[in-house]
């Protein structure tokens, strides 16, 4: 069960109204790398988890991320506090209001008109948050890796946001949130490596002959070698012929159809066949009457 | 530039038509952990990358994932080949067709009616693929971790699908695709650790006093300790008072408003105040006329 | 700041594994009327609210809805607990596994294969949760009405789910969750009517001559009258001529274009004009070569 | 069956081209509180309704909302009429065109480039309309409340848009549309209260002991009391212990697993256990080689 | 302005309740090829259109498609009429209700539980309708082609649905709706070819040397020739070298950066370089402790 | 199987950094008419196709569209190359960075902050790509028409983008991409008309009496006639009475319910009836206490 304490995890001190900055910060409120994504990611993992240590850790961190969602949302609310009342009281002239809402330097018209200056669960482009951002699949050696990566991404987005504001109170609170991602990443790393073995993830072994092959499928000026495709670590295959049909078969698909299916497939093929023998008049040819400055195309010329 | 060879990377041999299995396999065609997500993830990273080694590796693997998309999509097409013609030729009775389409044991009615038995870019529930699945953010120490995690997830989904079919040709091809995820994960790991340092990701240092704190925010029976929150690795904070306002401030948000903003905020508050002194008649009270077998609720009784 | 107590708000006792029921219950976990939608709806309103009474109430109820999200998610996890391990350990034969996953009586194949038996933030069809479900607009007389309606909807969905299970522990926990929606609705009603006046919502008066008009725009057998369109309450307008251009104007749109714009519009119109004087050969005519059992259509016959 | 009269319900008179304003107005064309959402909301309810009075009213209002969709879309088309031809004729220099499309003061580049100046079914941020906005659930005491709330929200969005333009013709038409929301809200209120009882919605009674409890789950400076949580109306529970496991149970979830399930769960737990006894080397430790200006974190120092 | 006549365009006569069939028919109610997509496609085109003939035709057909939306939605409502009351009155035992809702032969549990048996704007998989289905771009020679294609697709979906039911009244009404798509396609074809020239669409000429080239980019067994790539109509290019950098340049991208940009790019590259000289220990190596039945992979063995 | 050549199909030469233009070009990278939509459209058709000629052609063109996706994405990467490093190195002052990111003339703040200057699979508004853009249905006479239309739309979007830049290298590459759409359209037209007959699409004949009827459903000033609704080609029906219930029936829906269903429907209707005889007090009346400058509405006055 959750409880709420009215004090924030980190005190929010905002210097002045700034709806444009508020809009930018939505990235970490309702954006793909934001705090709702983090909180729901760990919360849903915790519910499905049976290992007591991981379950506890996931719920600890989920709860903290919810508290971070509150911090970032509160910053947005503070930055919008002035403009929210300006809009709801409609004291400016219409031209002035339009200029404020649509003006240069921010993208906040949606936030203002649609959400009334409250913090919506969208990213900074106004795209609604979707659970498609949450990549939990219910297997710890995969999910913990996903968590490690998610913390790394969130750390970077905070870093970018910090570079975009000189409001000291906002910078400081963002710095705290960024730092916590670093701490969380370390916990997830510990929990991952406390499972041994954890690689390859899951239970099924791979096919040994393909586990350490590297297919050099992009070729030309710029081909590079390093530990990620070195001869020490991988069998490096550059010949395109050897990249095809690596099982040694024909490389062509087949399915064993039943007799009635075969005859139906033949019937469909016949009915919908594009006859290669004819050269039909087409709609494009009907439409290429000429005239608008382009040469008639070859097929039309005929 | 891409070129296409008509031979598949792995020969596909399907034993019999099975639209239900086809539907399940869509998970790795147009699902969140599937091959389109993998291919576009690495392809977009490659385009934005400037490091020659990583750029080459990302494009190699993106190209292979496109080739895997072809393999899995071809399996789907083979499994649907019979039913596709059965539908387009409409030779069954309507009742038989309805039974086939909606019948027990598969969820393929959407695939059949809407997509005509072709492989659509949806997951196995019919949810269209979305780029919200791709979590690239343009910073290699984060993106490579995301790639490592993505390969781990994809490996697991293939493992689950392999457990659901006893068609030997399908099992074998899925096994190949699963194995390649293991190989790719190793390449991404090498490329990540070939950047030193790569932790914390990015450039900005964290706030040192919060980098190794662990907040025990979920408490009660089931609290556990391990390396992820041990005293050796973290400062472990369990007291809820010490989890709040960790900056030492009030924990309450503030914003410095301009004079006119202040007066507008006051005006809005006054106009939209929920007066705590009155106990108003409400719509619910109007609607709780009684009668449908439930006791009037307390507020209504008055 | 949030804290978490490991005990649930309501004890969850599940009689047996049932992935099909688990899947159905997702409707209130990650569905449009579910607990995540409720929690985020009130939480985002609380952050943007300045009235102290409403802000406190919204955060109280948001916190409770998070606790409900935990209860419903925990039920899902318990119902899936057996099947989750069955899948990850892959001890059944493949045919048996396929039958379990895709079998009649549930739609849980996505939940099992993609999410590994954990509770995902989707509805029971597998559609990922989206913030488009949250209709907060930042104005209390509208948002409180939205909350009243949301509680009413959630109450009904729980009622339907209760009708679908005879597991006594699940029924009881769902009954608790359903009851709380009733309590919340009452709080929101009180808070709404404690704002006076609250109708019409907002600040701008309407145009008096159109505020109590009822346009009878759907006509024929089945026209009904009641207080919602009675002469006592509304001016009832049935004449279609009087429903058009009610301002007394032409009903036709106009825009004052600048001279250069006018000439450009004329140029576009000329260039893209569908000439009504000619009767062109068309692509459909080219394609209607006849033969497949249908009469040539009129336009083709010519 | 629908018929269309070429005259609008309200005459649209636009003073001058203004693609930025056009873009803003899309909020009520293809946005969540817009006219398509309103029309489809009532139309789908009407189709499923069996009560003759409500069915008639819902279709009347659905038809009017379609007519409003036409009015707001026509305003958008008029505001874009000049820029649409400017674009399709490409008479400006490229730099001038770029400035117009991307310039300060509007967000219309998507509308212009992608939709060619026509009115698309998106909101003002370009997010495509989704039926996830429509919250109809097929139960009148819930749906009518949803309709009341939807009309209240739409009224507010129009109010905000009116504040953003001084074009008198646009203001007047928006004023008409806003006013009609007020009229519709009144009809829906009448229809709701003409069902008695309508609260609680649905058929199932709640659990009486929880119907009038208020859980004070957010605590601290700012706790407020009012009719929404007063002792007269609610049993007010502040003690966190009394908020947990309110059924009197343990608050811990349980499920009765079959013997084979139990052993499989144990097997999974063992295989994927994060061992709390060891303190493993982690990927983060490998990556924290030091150097980029931050102190090595605690876990790394060891 | 729209008006509504309570009579349908085509009389709907349904033989018996059938929620599974209702669910299937949603494909043409709220699916991508369905009637809402058709109606909104033509309606939005009509609003933006300036040519009087096309504007009139588009609005005629949009109005008819709305009337079709009503017909298909009414069929769904009739098919669900029994089950809707069965659910809302909850007279069956829970086990019976669960069986009905989740049972074999349909996918209607979402429709029943979430939408209460009303017709929702989703496809038959429960995916909410999205304006992303509407491909209008505001240029008639493209939009009319899109309309021709949309009518062709809708015709096919109706054909498939007709094959799935033997309810004579449903078959007949679907047959009517299917036929009207054929009529509409003919009107759109006429309107397209009444613009001359209409190919290539738009104003800008192409680059003549690339207008009739066919790149044979997929090669191997199965290469075919026909009028779509014949020497009469196209310059057929098979040599992969000649398919690259067809402008005669290097095929490599370049951008002229400013001096400070160049130095920043170099700095980023240095900081985030994956060093090809070292062969680092990786997280995967840490995690591959061996033991779970798979051979250690090559990179780990070292 | 795909292979990749590091040379682009067309050499990309960009004159200077321009994140705003980069953002605009995303329309053809991850937008609805862009190259990913094109490539996946043809690729999925190719996989499901059995006709050898079409299968070959579809894979040829899919491969080329992938190569175009690379060209347009590379242009975006080049235009962002400077700003990407500027952001990741954070050398500007915060105010300067904010101005760059949020400044007038572009909408690139999302691209920069969230995607780090890499090319994301979104349109120019930041909306993630969705497979809902792909309208493949698995029937060649429909799909080829869809392809023809898709090429026409893509050609137009390129035309608009070309009008927005004067960077000669960008213009030239966009011109190449635009031209190829013209070539592809011609191939698809040939392949379509090489199926005879191809109209009406599919197998089922229409109902002859409705195949050439034109319903004039939008009436008033502006009614036009042309070949699309001429008497030569269509039976033109203007009388609204003759547009209803064209089958000659009542136009009213009916369903044959079983006895128990009938009684349940009656029960639901009774329970949820809106009583037309009473004029209830409503929530709106409770809330219209007067005061805020608007006249009390009629229903409230009573």
């Amino acid at each position: 069960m959750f409880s709420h304490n009215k004090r924030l995890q980190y005190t929010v001190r905002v210097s002045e109204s700034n709806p444009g900055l508020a809009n930018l910060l939505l990235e970490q409120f309702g954006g793909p790398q934001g705090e709702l994504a983090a909180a729901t990611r760990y919360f849903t993992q915790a519910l499905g988890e049976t290992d007591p240590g991981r379950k506890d850790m996931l719920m600890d961190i989920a709860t903290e991320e919810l508290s971070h969602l509150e911090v970032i949302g509160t910053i947005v609310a503070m930055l919008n506090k002035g403009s929210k009342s300006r809009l709801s009281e409609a004291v400016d002239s219409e031209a002035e209001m339009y200029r404020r809402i649509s003006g240069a330097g921010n993208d906040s018209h949606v936030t203002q008109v649609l959400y009334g200056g409250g913090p919506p669960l969208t990213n900074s482009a106004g795209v609604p948050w979707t659970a498609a951002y949450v990549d939990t699949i219910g297997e710890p050696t995969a999910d913990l890796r996903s968590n490690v990566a998610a913390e790394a991404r969130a750390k970077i987005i905070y870093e970018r946001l910090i570079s975009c504001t000189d409001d000291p109170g906002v910078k400081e609170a963002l710095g705290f949130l960024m730092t916590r991602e670093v701490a969380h990443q370390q916990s997830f790393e510990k929990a991952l490596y406390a499972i041994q073995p954890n690689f390859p993830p899951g239970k099924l072994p791979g096919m040994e002959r393909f586990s350490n092959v590297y297919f050099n499928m992009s070729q030309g000026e710029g081909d590079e070698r390093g530990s990620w495709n070195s001869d020490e670590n991988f069998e490096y295959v550059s010949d395109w012929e050897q990249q095809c049909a690596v099982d040694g078969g024909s490389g062509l698909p087949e399915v064993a159809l039943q007799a009635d299916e075969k005859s139906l497939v033949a019937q469909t093929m016949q009915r919908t066949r594009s006859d290669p023998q004819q050269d039909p008049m087409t709609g494009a040819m009907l439409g290429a009457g000429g005239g608008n400055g382009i040469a008639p195309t070859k097929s039309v010329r005929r």
Side-chain angles (χ1 to χ4, degrees), chain A residues 78 94 123 132 178 213 219 235 239 241 252 262 282:
Chain A
M78 291 298 113
E94 293 89 347
N123 78 348
M178 180 190 79
V213 175
Q219 300 187 13
E235 180 188 346
D239 181 336
E241 281 304 303
L252 300 180
K262 270 187 205 159
T282 69

Side-chain angles (χ1 to χ4, degrees), chain A residues 65-250:
Chain A
E65 302 289 18
L66 280 175
S67 303
H68 293 178
L69 186 69
E70 188 187 14
V71 171
I72 188 83
T74 300
I75 300 175
V76 171
M78 291 298 113
L79 287 165
N80 272 337
K81 194 165 185 179
S83 65
K84 182 180 161 73
S85 279
R86 207 177 283 279
L87 179 74
S88 76
E89 301 310 310
V91 289
D92 295 329
S93 74
E94 293 89 347
E96 173 66 6
M97 187 69 82
Y98 178 72
R99 199 196 58 72
R100 277 184 195 281
I101 294 279
S102 311
N106 70 69
D107 206 37
S108 71
H109 61 87
V110 185
T111 317
Q112 305 297 311
V113 170
L114 179 55
Y115 301 111
L121 285 167
T122 68
N123 78 348
S124 70
V127 178
W129 191 88
T130 162
Y133 297 148
V134 180
D135 52 23
T136 298
I137 62 161
E139 157 64 42
T141 57
D143 287 344
L144 288 168
R145 283 182 170 92
S146 298
N147 298 355
V148 162
E151 296 290 344
R153 293 194 301 270
K155 197 271 181 184
I156 298 291
I157 307 293
Y158 276 123
E159 187 168 322
R160 291 174 185 162
L161 291 172
I162 289 169
S163 307
C164 292
T165 176
D166 50 12
D167 182 321
V170 174
K171 268 186 118 68
E172 190 187 319
L174 295 177
F176 170 72
L177 297 172
M178 180 190 79
T179 301
R180 295 303 299 152
E181 314 294 9
V182 177
H184 295 162
Q185 183 177 341
Q186 291 180 85
S187 288
F188 291 128
E189 297 254 5
K190 285 290 180 187
L192 170 62
Y193 290 99
I195 305 173
Q196 281 294 343
N198 62 51
F199 178 84
K203 247 194 113 171
L204 277 189
M207 295 159 92
E208 204 175 334
R209 57 197 268 235
F210 299 119
S211 291
N212 287 74
V213 175
Y214 185 96
F215 293 112
N216 178 24
M217 285 189 153
S218 168
Q219 300 187 13
E221 189 183 342
D223 253 16
E224 300 281 333
R225 301 297 296 270
S227 57
W228 48 87
N229 62 8
S230 65
D231 292 333
E232 286 79 8
N233 295 329
F234 295 92
E235 180 188 346
Y236 186 81
V237 179
S238 273
D239 181 336
W240 279 340
E241 281 304 303
Q242 289 183 36
Q243 295 174 355
C244 270
V246 292
D247 58 307
S250 66

